[in-house]
Amino acid sequence: FPFMHIATDIQKDVEQGIMANFLVRPVQYVVPVISRFVAWMVCYLVILVPAVLFTVIYREISLQNFLSFFIYLVLGIGIEFLLWYNLGLLALKLERLRGLLITFRAFKSLVSGALIPLSMFPPMFRTVTEFLPMKFYIYTPVNALLNGGNMEELAGNMVLALTWILVLTAAAAWQWNSGLKRLQANIS
């Protein structure tokens, strides 16, 4: 679970007072968090690129399926980053996040299709997971690569993913602003 470190790094920065340094710096706190995230993603590309190339060649994947996969993958990675960033920002309000992070990781594994493909779940469960953001991390990109889909489905999923990105970005901004007030009150 490569993304959990985003939240644990933020918690560590709050505990060690590193986050307070960003109150006087011209760089916003999110910039180094994104930088570390991009560095991790470059490391994971070493595994992802050969695996996807093998699948594309072996399964004779169409260009449309590959492009859908790539779009979903980028959107899913953005959503995944924002989910863990939001959880990390809870460190501004909570003392320890470990239990919450482990619970979220287990829930995310279930509803993202990482453990069992979502298509194997009962219809009611699938209906609920259709609206959750976690499906964009594993199930939707893999399904698009292997099974394809039509343009209506792609457009609908893109709108839903972009909506989640906007909601999670707004939630992060709200958490940052409210947490910053609390942090400044504790420093004073």
Side-chain angles (χ1 to χ4, degrees), residues 1-3 5 37 39-50:
F1 295 97
F3 296 106
H5 70 84
F37 174 71
W40 275 100
M41 287 297 93
V42 169
C43 293
Y44 286 114
L45 283 176
V46 171
I47 298 168
L48 179 69
V49 170

Side-chain angles (χ1 to χ4, degrees), residues 8 61 77 80 84 90 103-105 108 110 117 122 131 134 149 153 163 182-183 185 188:
T8 55
I61 304 292
I77 288 172
E80 188 76 6
W84 288 106
L90 287 174
T103 303
F104 178 75
R105 184 177 66 184
K108 185 190 76 66
L110 181 66
F131 297 102
M134 288 71 115
E153 184 181 351
T163 301
R182 186 178 178 139
L183 182 65
S188 305

Side-chain angles (χ1 to χ4, degrees), residues 118-186:
L118 298 179
S119 58
M120 296 181 74
F121 284 107
M124 188 175 99
F125 186 81
R126 276 197 316 257
T127 303
V128 171
T129 59
E130 279 299 312
F131 297 102
L132 295 176
M134 288 71 115
K135 76 173 190 168
F136 291 105
Y137 180 57
I138 293 178
Y139 179 75
T140 305
V142 170
N143 196 36
L145 184 66
L146 299 178
N147 302 325
N150 58 34
M151 292 307 281
E152 289 177 17
E153 184 181 351
L154 177 64
N157 278 330
M158 282 180 57
V159 167
L160 182 60
L162 291 172
T163 301
W164 273 112
I165 287 173
L166 290 173
V167 167
L168 292 169
T169 301
W174 177 80
Q175 278 200 89
W176 174 257
N177 290 331
S178 65
L180 198 59
K181 289 176 189 172
R182 186 178 178 139
L183 182 65
Q184 287 173 331
N186 289 338

